[in-house]
Amino acid sequence: WPVVFPWSQSRKGTGQSAAILAGIIAVSFRSQLIPVCNAVKAAKSPLFSLYLGASSRKLYNPPAPASWMQAGPPLRRGIATLAAHRLQKNSMHDVTLTTRRREEFIRLDDHLESLAAAYGWRDGLLLLHVPHTTAALTINENGDPDVPRDLLMRLAVLAQDSGYRHAEGNSDAHLKSSLLGCQLWVPLKDGRLRLGTWQSVWFCEFDGPRQRQIWVRHMEDFGVQRG
């Protein structure tokens, strides 16, 4: 960045760290981008002086603008770059699956952790959503393949045809989707799913074979306390 936040008594070392810190604070808000100068002011620290321009080093006295666009061009570029990176990390991402049977459970753990590694997600929550009315998501046993089989067997009993009128003939799949649900929150810790020893995240197909999608959104946890 051509933006420097030096200490009032020194322009080296900690000044660069302060610039990065203020930039992160400025774009950490979800609803709007707040100027770095306002973030520094909000910190109530008299130790910062805001300078713009790598060559001129002219003192910039922020007029407390409401919009970050009123800040200087170098500052705008810095904020926009950091914001674009943050938007890419926190936007919705798709996981595509191709199912092979009418009914099956597909384990998603590896897919989700690969996505976390690709975008640098470390801690927080993953919001998972299935945009289909004949599929679902669930968290359950991963050690015994008979557990998914037993679940499918029992769901078939619960959803057996008792006079369905839906013309497509897949009312049982719609019922099973509603019973298990199409959305999950999954904890993430150090880039790994924070689940129990025998737990896994499963995609549940009830009307395949089809190409399916899972929408994934990472929600950062800014309240994590590290001990």
Side-chain angles (χ1 to χ4, degrees), residues 58-87:
K58 293 182 179 179
L59 180 63
Y60 176 71
N61 297 313
S67 171
W68 73 280
M69 288 300 295
Q70 292 178 250
L75 182 57
R76 288 202 303 269
R77 286 195 298 270
I79 296 176
T81 300
L82 189 56
H85 175 67
R86 185 177 181 82
L87 181 62

Side-chain angles (χ1 to χ4, degrees), residues 39-55:
V40 174
K41 182 179 179 181
K44 298 180 180 179
S45 173
L47 300 177
F48 291 112
S49 297
L50 177 61
Y51 285 78
L52 293 182
S55 59

Side-chain angles (χ1 to χ4, degrees), residues 27 44 46 57 59 84 87 127 131 149 206:
V27 298
K44 298 180 180 179
R57 292 289 191 266
L59 180 63
L87 181 62
L127 171 61
R149 183 190 65 83
F206 298 125

Side-chain angles (χ1 to χ4, degrees), residues 96-101 104 106 205 209-212:
T96 301
L97 299 175
T98 300
T99 60
R100 299 179 180 179
R101 294 185 288 275
E104 62 178 317
I106 299 175
E205 174 64 88
R210 296 172 182 255
Q211 185 170 337
R212 299 293 203 175

Side-chain angles (χ1 to χ4, degrees), residues 104-186:
E104 62 178 317
F105 278 32
I106 299 175
R107 188 174 171 180
L108 297 179
D109 300 20
D110 291 341
H111 294 279
L112 298 175
E113 290 183 353
S114 295
L115 197 63
Y119 288 97
W121 301 338
R122 299 295 299 166
D123 300 314
L125 293 171
L126 296 183
L127 171 61
L128 313 181
H129 180 79
V130 169
H132 308 292
T133 60
T134 56
L137 293 166
T138 191
I139 295 177
N140 217 305
E141 169 79 57
N142 63 20
D144 185 353
D146 282 338
V147 172
R149 183 190 65 83
D150 290 346
L151 289 173
L152 287 172
M153 181 177 64
R154 186 58 184 171
L155 286 169
V157 173
L158 293 174
Q160 61 184 337
D161 192 345
S162 57
Y164 294 136
R165 300 177 61 180
H166 183 43
E168 292 183 12
N170 60 352
S171 291
D172 64 318
H174 291 291
L175 179 56
K176 294 168 187 175
S177 174
S178 292
L179 287 173
L180 293 188
C182 63
Q183 191 164 286
L184 284 179
W185 288 96
V186 183

